[in-house]
Amino acid sequence: CIESQRMDKLSSDSKAGELFAWGCKKHTIQVLHDFKDIKVDALHGNYRQACVLSEGRVISLDGEGSTAHNDVLAHIKCVSFGETHSLAVDDKGSIWTQGSGGSGQLGLGATKRVEDASKSWVEVSFLSQHRVISLSCGSRHSVAVTLTGDVYTWGRGCEGQTGHRFTDDNHCNKSDPHAQRAEIQLLPKLVVIPSQQHEPAKFTACGPNFTIILTRRGVPWAWGEGRCGELGVGLRIAKQPTPARVCWPDDASKCEFVTCGWAHVLAFDSNCKLFSWGFNRFGQLGLGLCVSGQNSKSVISTYTISPRRVVHFPGSVAFANAAANSSAAVRAEDGMLFTWGSGEARRLGHFLEKGLNTEHVHCPRSVPGLRERYVSSATLTETGGFAFVPSSVNYAEPASVPTIGGTKVLLWGGGFWKSSGCVVRFTPLDEGTLALETRPRSSIGKYVTPKGARIGAGKTGILCRMPRFTTTRFVFAEVAMNGKDFTTSRVCIRLYDNPTLAAIKPVCCSSTDAHDVIIIGKSLLETNEIKVRFKELGGQHREWIVPAKLTALCDKNDPLDTAIRCKSPCICEGNFPIQARVAVALNGSDFVTLLKTTFILHNATILSLAPDCRPLHPSTTPDAVSILGQSFFDSNKMSVNLTLQGNSQRGYFCRPRYVNKNTLAFTPPSLAEISQCIRGHDCSDIVTDHDIAQAEQTTWTFMLRLTLDGVYFLNKSLSLVLYKQIGQGDTKEISSMCGPLTGGTRLSLHFPYLSPAPVLTSFTSAVVRLRPKDNKSAHIEPTIVSLKCSKAGEFSFETPVIDSGSIVVSSKSDTLVEALKSTNGDASSHFNLPIERLDMLVEVALDGQTFGAHCSTCFTYYGTPEVTEIKATQYDASNVPAAAAGVDISIFGRGFFETGLVKVVLRSSVAPMRHAKTHIIDAVCTRGVVEFVMPILHLFHVACEVNPPHSHKECKHRLLVEISLNGGLNKTSNSMYLDYLFTC
């Protein structure tokens, strides 16, 4: 017996479970299957012996884990082993002994009973009048502590281990048999502890040649051999014949437990802090390596002569054991077993981990094969070790189940194995008195391991079906692997009524962002295991499960006063929008479905507005605007929010109309609604059409946001401009308003009243429409061209090509009578006719659709003009006209007419100077003849002075002459030569 205070508890707390063994002949930690149906009280072992206490019986274990029952002993509470003898104490406090008694260690005296003890257990009658509560065996001596706190020892005392001072104080001569016999105590003898007041002892522990006892006040005393500091008295001593007080640390609480190895000691205090002292060559003290000051190498301290704290042990100590040069301790928090010290004969159980030094382990390290298992008892021997994991239930998954039953419940714990007789018992707890009812219900259990884990390693569990109960309450779950011996540990499971789900808010969410979702219902409660499932309808039938929490609603009068709050799932792939059925499981597994309502996951995105602006009329509602995007769907919760730029507190809401998956449509606010939005809905002023017409502001910029669920807006927002309709005179032409039928003339328009310029950049839908000004004289389909807005607030476009052959001219047109006569054609009402000029109306629609009656200007198309003749005052030998500066020149051709922007374009015909500056000269067109005055062209004067072509003073330079009717934007299709005369 090592810990007397635990004996009563262990004997009354027999448990079934798994017994594990390891050692020199085992390559893995093995389960001893013979013990799966045996209830275990505790394990005891030392030297080369070990046993199991099972319901007061002693079952011996050898190195192979084989068992041998002893039918002589009964009601045994603890057992201790010496090198050649054993001791046991029963529930009456009587001591039984067995083995060799050559050194008096049996306590039977010089009687024949010594021979009987070598064969079977014999009672130590000398202590029959005393009730023993703790005993321990050294190598060849024995110690017992009685109920009154007295300490008795017997056996070999040559090293002082019996605590008695003999007549000869000289050291025992081990080579002299007579000297050895002189210090042998054949019968138990009382040990006197030298203290001012008698301190009753409560338990004892022995090493091979030393003894330690612990008083009820938590003071340890030691005597015997102390060559390695194992006595803990502050010095190494060969022999301490009488009790000496251990140097227990002042900063530690009182000592609660002691266990001894060959020459080292483990102890822990009332705060479960672990201490050690003695021999440390193999690291059995668990103090780790220290750094040497001479060569900075890690070395180990060989001896420790007083108790030191084992700071490397991770947690609080529940139990400790020392044997030979090895140590073991069980952590209180989770029952994990740690071993360290000498790994000889593989007795530490660390051989499963590759790369670890199995010979010497200097710090506490958990046993790999027993991790995640709750060890209740363990012992080490010279050849191996044993650990018992009782069948225990640690927790249940789920911890809450509905009363209707049928739920799969996993009871996780330890000490489970495959058994056909496994039974789970559920005992209900009465709600009023919290007393256990007498009619529990049972279910068949099945052994399981975590997915991916091998059987026999890590945590294990029992799977069963929850039986049906009629009322909500708590039940306790217990497991019996053999169908009758249930675990003393049990877990509490909560029973609840299935909830009723009523609604979900919102009804849809974006698939790219996790938004809050509220599910309202009855009988909802917090279990810390709530899950919400979104299951796809159709498609791939995928499902997404998210955690949830119970939340309260704001309306306390609402009978549905509770709700579940969770985050919507984020989905990257799928055929959006995805319809999903929503279900709630208060325990994370039993789902209840929300009926008649589906939840929509979408990846809806708004891309643009068509158009992005609309004109406003004083008395009419604007035309609809289309929202272009993707993944739209029809929802009665969707809404458009328009926030006025610069006034974010004022907004306009309207419900859009679903058109298709990529289009929604809505009607923007009217002028009256805009005015109300600016003034506020609580304004009592009446907005009249006259007030709107007189308003100075002409444009309003709104930021548009879209929500499909009525709660969350899509990430992107767009700009929408509402403007007063363009009136007559509101359009200003910046460039020429004429150009050839071949198109390509770049024109600019400006709307001063729509300033400031940054607003105009929003008009991405703006277009112009060109149509004949006089439909009676020419019929042509209108042409629409997009407008581009610059940062300066100008709209520009290029005129399209007009196919003159497609123009149908009416014979009723008075302006074309001469043309009709020149064709000598028939008198048909319509005919195709090449034309020289065509007046077109340029109509503007900033929104791309609404062409107002007064938002137009005129553009003139003309045929391709040609230069046919240039008349000047002089001509050269090749009949090329020539003129000096200041001379009037007339240019004849086809298609010339006065536009107010007639220009003559002069450029050099000489190849090296062809790309020099072009001269554009103002000209006038009179009756189809273009006239201009030759200017002074200084560039050619300079060029001639640098490279004089002739030696005489009269020079000339040949020019190419072209005509532009629209200020130089477009020129004639041909050119003619003109010599420029000047004096060098």
Side-chain angles (χ1 to χ4, degrees):
C1 174
I2 297 179
E3 187 183 359
S4 62
Q5 291 183 339
R6 293 166 56 95
M7 291 191 303
D8 292 334
K9 180 180 177 181
L10 291 174
S11 60
S12 62
D13 194 20
S14 299
K15 299 178 181 178
E18 290 181 299
L19 182 60
F20 294 87
W22 61 91
C24 59
K25 296 184 179 181
K26 301 178 180 64
H27 297 284
T28 60
I29 295 181
Q30 299 178 358
V31 179
L32 302 182
H33 298 281
D34 293 341
F35 285 86
K36 286 187 174 179
D37 291 327
I38 296 176
K39 298 177 70 174
V40 174
D41 302 334
L43 298 176
H44 299 285
N46 204 349
Y47 298 96
R48 292 181 175 270
Q49 301 182 72
C51 73
V52 172
L53 283 186
S54 174
E55 299 180 295
R57 297 175 301 144
V58 178
I59 304 176
S60 300
L61 297 169
D62 60 14
E64 296 294 322
S66 302
T67 62
H69 293 261
N70 190 290
D71 297 330
V72 176
L73 297 179
H75 309 292
I76 298 300
K77 296 175 65 176
C78 68
V79 178
S80 182
F81 295 101
E83 187 173 3
T84 59
H85 75 293
S86 304
L87 293 179
V89 61
D90 59 19
D91 57 354
K92 297 179 181 180
S94 301
I95 296 181
W96 297 76
T97 185
Q98 183 189 35
S100 173
S103 298
Q105 61 264 45
L106 299 182
L108 300 177
T111 64
K112 186 180 179 182
R113 299 181 65 195
V114 175
E115 297 180 2
D116 297 336
S118 63
K119 303 176 182 178
S120 180
W121 290 89
V122 176
E123 183 179 2
V124 181
S125 59
F126 186 84
L127 293 176
S128 60
Q129 302 300 318
H130 300 275
R131 183 179 179 87
V132 176
I133 61 172
S134 177
L135 55 82
S136 182
C137 293
S139 175
R140 296 185 181 183
H141 77 286
S142 303
V143 183
V145 177
T146 65
L147 183 62
T148 58
D150 295 328
V151 179
Y152 289 87
T153 61
W154 60 95
R156 177 187 172 92
C158 187
E159 292 80 15
Q161 57 265 51
T162 57
H164 304 298
R165 184 181 295 275
F166 292 91
T167 303
D168 186 4
D169 290 337
N170 296 328
H171 294 298
C172 177
N173 186 357
K174 297 182 180 181
S175 62
D176 185 1
H178 298 285
Q180 293 185 30
R181 285 195 294 271
E183 297 193 2
I184 290 178
Q185 182 67 38
L186 298 179
L187 293 173
K189 183 178 180 180
L190 180 66
V191 177
V192 179
I193 299 177
S195 59
Q196 294 180 356
Q197 295 180 354
H198 176 65
E199 293 186 47
K202 63 178 181 179
F203 70 81
T204 182
C206 293
N209 296 318
F210 66 98
T211 303
I212 294 181
I213 64 102
L214 188 62
T215 68
R216 294 177 185 176
R217 293 173 55 189
V219 179
W221 294 78
W223 58 87
E225 184 178 7
R227 298 177 185 272
C228 299
E230 58 264 47
L231 299 184
V233 294
L235 73 162
R236 295 167 57 192
I237 184 171
K239 180 178 181 179
Q240 174 63 41
T242 58
R245 187 164 182 169
V246 176
C247 299
W248 189 250
D250 294 335
D251 58 349
S253 58
K254 67 177 183 177
C255 185
E256 289 288 341
F257 173 80
V258 176
T259 179
C260 301
W262 274 352
H264 76 288
V265 181
L266 299 180
F268 60 81
D269 61 10
S270 58
N271 292 327
C272 299
K273 304 300 182 182
L274 186 62
F275 296 82
S276 63
W277 63 91
F279 189 53
N280 194 36
R281 180 179 177 183
F282 304 102
Q284 57 263 49
L285 298 186
L287 302 178
L289 299 174
C290 61
V291 179
S292 173
Q294 298 178 353
N295 50 17
S296 299
K297 292 184 178 180
S298 296
V299 297
I300 188 170
S301 177
T302 307
Y303 307 102
T304 299
I305 59 178
S306 60
R308 289 182 57 185
R309 168 83 184 280
V310 183
V311 296
H312 298 291
F313 188 81
S316 301
V317 182
F319 174 77
N321 179 253
N325 286 320
S326 303
S327 302
V330 174
R331 187 162 62 187
E333 289 84 348
D334 53 9
M336 186 176 292
L337 178 64
F338 293 79
T339 58
W340 63 95
S342 172
E344 184 182 357
R346 299 177 178 173
R347 57 175 170 257
L348 298 182
H350 293 167
F351 47 82
L352 289 179
E353 290 190 351
K354 296 181 180 179
L356 293 181
N357 185 349
T358 59
E359 292 301 322
H360 308 301
V361 178
H362 303 106
C363 295
R365 181 178 294 136
S366 61
V367 179
L370 295 176
R371 289 172 185 165
E372 297 188 4
R373 296 182 184 272
Y374 189 93
V375 176
S376 66
S377 182
T379 188
L380 298 178
T381 66
E382 295 179 9
T383 58
F386 299 89
F388 178 67
V389 178
S391 297
S392 60
V393 182
N394 299 333
Y395 62 96
E397 290 182 356
S400 303
V401 295
T403 57
I404 59 175
T407 303
K408 287 184 178 181
V409 177
L410 263 172
L411 301 176
W412 293 108
F416 300 145
W417 62 89
K418 287 185 177 181
S419 173
S420 59
C422 180
V423 174
V424 180
R425 181 173 63 188
F426 298 92
T427 304
L429 192 67
D430 184 74
E431 295 177 346
T433 63
L434 297 181
L436 292 176
E437 291 185 348
T438 57
R439 288 178 288 182
R441 300 182 183 181
S442 301
S443 178
I444 297 175
K446 178 182 178 182
Y447 174 79
V448 295
T449 57
K451 188 175 182 180
R454 63 181 180 85
I455 296 177
K459 67 178 182 180
T460 57
I462 300 298
L463 177 66
C464 66
R465 291 277 185 179
M466 190 72 186
R468 182 183 179 90
F469 288 88
T470 56
T471 59
T472 58
R473 59 182 64 196
F474 290 92
V475 296
F476 286 107
E478 304 160 295
V479 176
M481 299 307 297
N482 57 7
K484 57 181 180 179
D485 297 316
F486 288 92
T487 56
T488 55
S489 62
R490 57 194 181 191
V491 294
C492 185
I493 298 178
R494 183 179 188 176
L495 299 177
Y496 63 86
D497 289 329
N498 262 342
T500 302
L501 307 181
I504 184 171
K505 296 179 181 179
V507 295
C508 57
C509 275
S510 171
S511 63
T512 57
D513 299 316
H515 294 294
D516 282 338
V517 176
I518 303 295
I519 303 170
I520 306 171
K522 293 181 180 180
S523 301
L524 298 175
L525 56 101
E526 182 59 72
T527 64
N528 296 323
E529 298 176 308
I530 304 176
K531 296 288 189 297
V532 176
R533 182 183 65 194
F534 298 85
K535 189 171 184 179
E536 183 180 10
L537 295 177
Q540 303 177 25
H541 299 284
R542 295 172 295 176
E543 62 179 43
W544 303 272
I545 298 177
V546 296
K549 291 288 185 181
L550 186 71
T551 185
L553 297 179
C554 297
D555 188 2
K556 298 298 182 181
N557 298 322
D558 192 338
L560 303 175
D561 59 349
T562 56
I564 299 296
R565 183 189 298 272
C566 69
K567 292 291 185 180
S568 61
C570 295
I571 307 170
C572 299
E573 299 178 351
N575 186 19
F576 295 100
I578 296 174
Q579 287 189 334
R581 186 73 72 183
V582 179
V584 173
L586 296 181
N587 61 355
S589 60
D590 294 290
F591 287 94
V592 177
T593 304
L594 173 63
L595 302 177
K596 300 181 180 180
T597 303
T598 57
F599 187 81
I600 296 178
L601 292 163
H602 62 84
N603 63 345
T605 304
I606 54 175
L607 302 176
S608 61
L609 298 178
D612 61 355
C613 57
R614 275 299 190 196
L616 296 173
H617 301 277
S619 57
T620 59
T621 302
D623 294 332
V625 175
S626 296
I627 304 175
L628 305 181
Q630 63 182 18
S631 190
F632 293 149
F633 57 93
D634 194 5
S635 169
N636 57 4
K637 300 290 185 179
M638 60 182 175
S639 175
V640 169
N641 171 239
L642 295 175
T643 303
L644 192 62
Q645 194 174 39
N647 191 359
S648 58
Q649 296 181 352
R650 301 293 185 183
Y652 173 80
F653 288 87
C654 63
R655 187 180 184 280
R657 176 174 54 87
Y658 177 77
V659 179
N660 55 47
K661 190 175 182 179
N662 299 318
T663 307
L664 301 176
F666 73 98
T667 302
S670 63
L671 272 172
E673 291 170 325
I674 292 177
S675 181
Q676 290 288 356
C677 179
I678 296 174
R679 299 185 184 186
H681 296 286
D682 55 348
C683 180
S684 59
D685 296 341
I686 300 176
V687 182
T688 64
D689 294 346
H690 177 73
D691 295 334
I692 298 172
Q694 296 299 319
E696 295 182 359
Q697 189 171 356
T698 57
T699 59
W700 296 268
T701 302
F702 290 87
M703 297 308 297
L704 180 143
R705 295 187 301 167
L706 175 66
T707 174
L708 298 177
D709 52 36
V711 178
Y712 299 106
F713 289 97
L714 301 186
N715 291 337
K716 188 176 182 180
S717 60
L718 299 175
S719 176
L720 173 68
V721 177
L722 300 180
Y723 61 93
K724 282 187 179 180
Q725 180 61 281
I726 301 176
Q728 190 173 8
D730 292 331
T731 305
K732 179 181 178 181
E733 307 90 9
I734 299 177
S735 58
S736 173
M737 295 304 290
C738 63
L741 292 171
T742 55
T745 304
R746 189 168 189 83
L747 301 179
S748 297
L749 303 176
H750 184 52
F751 305 100
Y753 89 106
L754 288 181
S755 297
V759 176
L760 301 180
T761 58
S762 301
F763 293 87
T764 58
S765 303
V767 297
V768 294
R769 181 174 63 185
L770 290 85
R771 63 180 179 84
K773 184 177 181 180
D774 184 4
N775 289 328
K776 295 181 180 180
S777 60
H779 297 281
I780 183 173
E781 292 296 326
T783 304
I784 296 178
V785 183
S786 297
L787 279 173
K788 295 182 179 179
C789 182
S790 68
K791 293 182 179 180
E794 297 176 1
F795 289 93
S796 61
F797 70 98
E798 290 187 356
T799 58
V801 177
I802 299 296
D803 185 5
S804 60
S806 64
I807 301 176
V808 179
V809 181
S810 173
S811 60
K812 298 179 181 180
S813 173
D814 296 334
T815 60
L816 299 176
V817 173
E818 295 181 358
L820 177 62
K821 293 180 180 179
S822 65
T823 61
N824 295 321
D826 55 19
S828 60
S829 59
H830 295 83
F831 54 90
N832 293 333
L833 177 68
I835 63 174
E836 295 180 353
R837 283 183 292 172
L838 178 63
D839 292 332
M840 303 287 284
L841 287 177
V842 179
E843 299 176 317
V844 180
L846 294 180
D847 61 352
Q849 298 175 2
T850 307
F851 296 95
H854 304 290
C855 59
S856 61
T857 185
C858 185
F859 178 83
T860 300
Y861 272 108
Y862 53 81
T864 305
E866 295 182 1
V867 178
T868 58
E869 182 183 359
I870 299 178
K871 288 186 178 183
T873 57
Q874 300 180 31
Y875 293 87
D876 63 3
S878 59
N879 203 25
V880 174
V887 176
D888 293 333
I889 298 175
S890 298
I891 302 175
F892 295 86
R894 289 189 294 271
F896 295 160
F897 64 98
E898 181 58 46
T899 64
L901 295 172
V902 178
K903 305 289 181 181
V904 175
V905 181
L906 302 177
R907 55 191 177 91
S908 175
S909 64
V910 181
M913 302 185 65
R914 188 162 294 171
H915 300 290
K917 181 179 179 181
T918 299
H919 294 268
I920 300 177
I921 314 301
D922 292 335
V924 295
C925 182
T926 305
R927 297 180 181 180
V929 178
V930 175
E931 297 175 343
F932 75 102
V933 178
M934 176 65 73
I936 298 175
L937 305 178
H938 296 284
L939 178 64
F940 302 133
H941 287 265
V942 175
C944 186
E945 291 174 0
V946 176
N947 299 302
H950 306 290
S951 60
H952 53 77
K953 296 182 179 180
E954 295 294 333
C955 297
K956 65 177 180 179
H957 195 95
R958 183 154 292 179
L959 304 175
L960 290 174
V961 180
E962 298 170 309
I963 303 298
S964 174
L965 300 180
N966 57 2
L969 296 178
N970 302 98
K971 302 182 229 11
T972 53
S973 61
N974 69 327
S975 60
M976 296 193 71
Y977 291 119
L978 173 65
D979 287 339
Y980 172 58
L981 303 177
F982 58 96
T983 302
C984 297

